[in-house]
PDB file of all heavy atoms in Angstrom:
ATOM      1  N   GLY A 101       7.356 142.469  15.923  1.00 83.00           N
ATOM      2  CA  GLY A 101       8.632 142.798  15.376  1.00 83.00           C
ATOM      3  C   GLY A 101       8.694 143.731  14.242  1.00 83.00           C
ATOM      4  O   GLY A 101       9.715 144.058  13.750  1.00 83.00           O
ATOM      5  N   VAL A 120      10.844 146.770   9.651  1.00 83.00           N
ATOM      6  CA  VAL A 120      11.305 146.011  10.926  1.00 83.00           C
ATOM      7  C   VAL A 120      11.455 147.150  11.991  1.00 83.00           C
ATOM      8  O   VAL A 120      11.928 148.260  11.837  1.00 83.00           O
ATOM      9  CB  VAL A 120      12.616 145.380  10.682  1.00 83.00           C
ATOM     10  CG1 VAL A 120      13.211 144.816  12.038  1.00 83.00           C
ATOM     11  CG2 VAL A 120      12.562 144.304   9.610  1.00 83.00           C
ATOM     12  N   ASP A 121      10.876 146.778  13.217  1.00 79.00           N
ATOM     13  CA  ASP A 121      10.988 147.684  14.335  1.00 79.00           C
ATOM     14  C   ASP A 121      12.279 147.383  15.073  1.00 79.00           C
ATOM     15  O   ASP A 121      12.437 146.457  15.788  1.00 79.00           O
ATOM     16  CB  ASP A 121       9.787 147.440  15.333  1.00 79.00           C
ATOM     17  CG  ASP A 121       9.664 148.441  16.404  1.00 79.00           C
ATOM     18  OD1 ASP A 121      10.561 149.236  16.552  1.00 79.00           O
ATOM     19  OD2 ASP A 121       8.620 148.387  17.018  1.00 79.00           O
ATOM     20  N   LYS A 122      13.290 148.292  14.856  1.00 77.00           N
ATOM     21  CA  LYS A 122      14.635 148.141  15.471  1.00 77.00           C
ATOM     22  C   LYS A 122      14.579 148.144  17.005  1.00 77.00           C
ATOM     23  O   LYS A 122      15.242 147.328  17.644  1.00 77.00           O
ATOM     24  CB  LYS A 122      15.572 149.186  14.998  1.00 77.00           C
ATOM     25  CG  LYS A 122      15.861 149.035  13.455  1.00 77.00           C
ATOM     26  CD  LYS A 122      16.865 150.065  12.974  1.00 77.00           C
ATOM     27  CE  LYS A 122      17.101 149.987  11.514  1.00 77.00           C
ATOM     28  NZ  LYS A 122      18.022 151.004  11.018  1.00 77.00           N
ATOM     29  N   LYS A 123      13.841 149.116  17.548  1.00 78.00           N
ATOM     30  CA  LYS A 123      13.656 149.139  19.046  1.00 78.00           C
ATOM     31  C   LYS A 123      13.054 147.853  19.626  1.00 78.00           C
ATOM     32  O   LYS A 123      13.503 147.408  20.699  1.00 78.00           O
ATOM     33  CB  LYS A 123      12.776 150.286  19.449  1.00 78.00           C
ATOM     34  CG  LYS A 123      13.483 151.690  19.155  1.00 78.00           C
ATOM     35  CD  LYS A 123      12.560 152.845  19.644  1.00 78.00           C
ATOM     36  CE  LYS A 123      13.191 154.136  19.390  1.00 78.00           C
ATOM     37  NZ  LYS A 123      12.320 155.327  19.873  1.00 78.00           N
ATOM     38  N   TYR A 124      12.100 147.338  18.866  1.00 76.00           N
ATOM     39  CA  TYR A 124      11.536 146.060  19.318  1.00 76.00           C
ATOM     40  C   TYR A 124      12.577 144.915  19.396  1.00 76.00           C
ATOM     41  O   TYR A 124      12.645 144.159  20.354  1.00 76.00           O
ATOM     42  CB  TYR A 124      10.378 145.578  18.336  1.00 76.00           C
ATOM     43  CG  TYR A 124       9.869 144.255  18.639  1.00 76.00           C
ATOM     44  CD1 TYR A 124       8.929 144.069  19.661  1.00 76.00           C
ATOM     45  CD2 TYR A 124      10.255 143.078  17.889  1.00 76.00           C
ATOM     46  CE1 TYR A 124       8.408 142.832  19.933  1.00 76.00           C
ATOM     47  CE2 TYR A 124       9.763 141.897  18.218  1.00 76.00           C
ATOM     48  CZ  TYR A 124       8.835 141.689  19.203  1.00 76.00           C
ATOM     49  OH  TYR A 124       8.354 140.454  19.501  1.00 76.00           O
ATOM     50  N   ALA A 125      13.484 144.871  18.376  1.00 71.00           N
ATOM     51  CA  ALA A 125      14.496 143.842  18.343  1.00 71.00           C
ATOM     52  C   ALA A 125      15.519 144.093  19.541  1.00 71.00           C
ATOM     53  O   ALA A 125      15.904 143.194  20.268  1.00 71.00           O
ATOM     54  CB  ALA A 125      15.253 143.851  17.029  1.00 71.00           C
ATOM     55  N   GLU A 126      15.851 145.479  19.752  1.00 76.00           N
ATOM     56  CA  GLU A 126      16.793 145.735  20.911  1.00 76.00           C
ATOM     57  C   GLU A 126      16.155 145.338  22.192  1.00 76.00           C
ATOM     58  O   GLU A 126      16.800 144.783  23.142  1.00 76.00           O
ATOM     59  CB  GLU A 126      17.191 147.148  20.773  1.00 76.00           C
ATOM     60  CG  GLU A 126      18.088 147.570  19.620  1.00 76.00           C
ATOM     61  CD  GLU A 126      18.347 149.114  19.601  1.00 76.00           C
ATOM     62  OE1 GLU A 126      17.835 149.743  20.414  1.00 76.00           O
ATOM     63  OE2 GLU A 126      19.074 149.467  18.677  1.00 76.00           O
ATOM     64  N   ASN A 127      14.928 145.773  22.424  1.00 78.00           N
ATOM     65  CA  ASN A 127      14.265 145.451  23.616  1.00 78.00           C
ATOM     66  C   ASN A 127      14.101 143.954  23.849  1.00 78.00           C
ATOM     67  O   ASN A 127      14.189 143.497  24.933  1.00 78.00           O
ATOM     68  CB  ASN A 127      12.871 146.145  23.667  1.00 78.00           C
ATOM     69  CG  ASN A 127      12.954 147.714  23.724  1.00 78.00           C
ATOM     70  OD1 ASN A 127      14.001 148.283  24.236  1.00 78.00           O
ATOM     71  ND2 ASN A 127      11.966 148.407  23.235  1.00 78.00           N
ATOM     72  N   LYS A 128      13.795 143.285  22.751  1.00 78.00           N
ATOM     73  CA  LYS A 128      13.633 141.806  22.869  1.00 78.00           C
ATOM     74  C   LYS A 128      14.894 141.203  23.254  1.00 78.00           C
ATOM     75  O   LYS A 128      14.924 140.273  24.089  1.00 78.00           O
ATOM     76  CB  LYS A 128      13.092 141.218  21.595  1.00 78.00           C
ATOM     77  CG  LYS A 128      12.780 139.773  21.577  1.00 78.00           C
ATOM     78  CD  LYS A 128      12.177 139.291  20.295  1.00 78.00           C
ATOM     79  CE  LYS A 128      11.810 137.869  20.404  1.00 78.00           C
ATOM     80  NZ  LYS A 128      11.251 137.400  19.102  1.00 78.00           N
ATOM     81  N   ALA A 129      16.128 141.588  22.651  1.00 77.00           N
ATOM     82  CA  ALA A 129      17.369 141.043  22.958  1.00 77.00           C
ATOM     83  C   ALA A 129      17.787 141.297  24.438  1.00 77.00           C
ATOM     84  O   ALA A 129      18.209 140.453  25.108  1.00 77.00           O
ATOM     85  CB  ALA A 129      18.490 141.543  22.035  1.00 77.00           C
ATOM     86  N   LYS A 130      17.355 142.610  24.885  1.00 82.00           N
ATOM     87  CA  LYS A 130      17.727 142.968  26.263  1.00 82.00           C
ATOM     88  C   LYS A 130      16.910 142.148  27.242  1.00 82.00           C
ATOM     89  O   LYS A 130      17.464 141.655  28.263  1.00 82.00           O
ATOM     90  CB  LYS A 130      17.404 144.456  26.466  1.00 82.00           C
ATOM     91  CG  LYS A 130      17.859 144.988  27.877  1.00 82.00           C
ATOM     92  CD  LYS A 130      17.527 146.449  27.958  1.00 82.00           C
ATOM     93  CE  LYS A 130      17.948 146.978  29.346  1.00 82.00           C
ATOM     94  NZ  LYS A 130      17.670 148.502  29.442  1.00 82.00           N
TER      95      LYS A 130
END
Side-chain angles (χ1 to χ4, degrees):
V120 175
D121 190 351
K122 295 181 180 181
K123 291 183 178 181
Y124 173 80
E126 293 175 358
N127 294 333
K128 185 176 181 181
K130 185 178 179 180

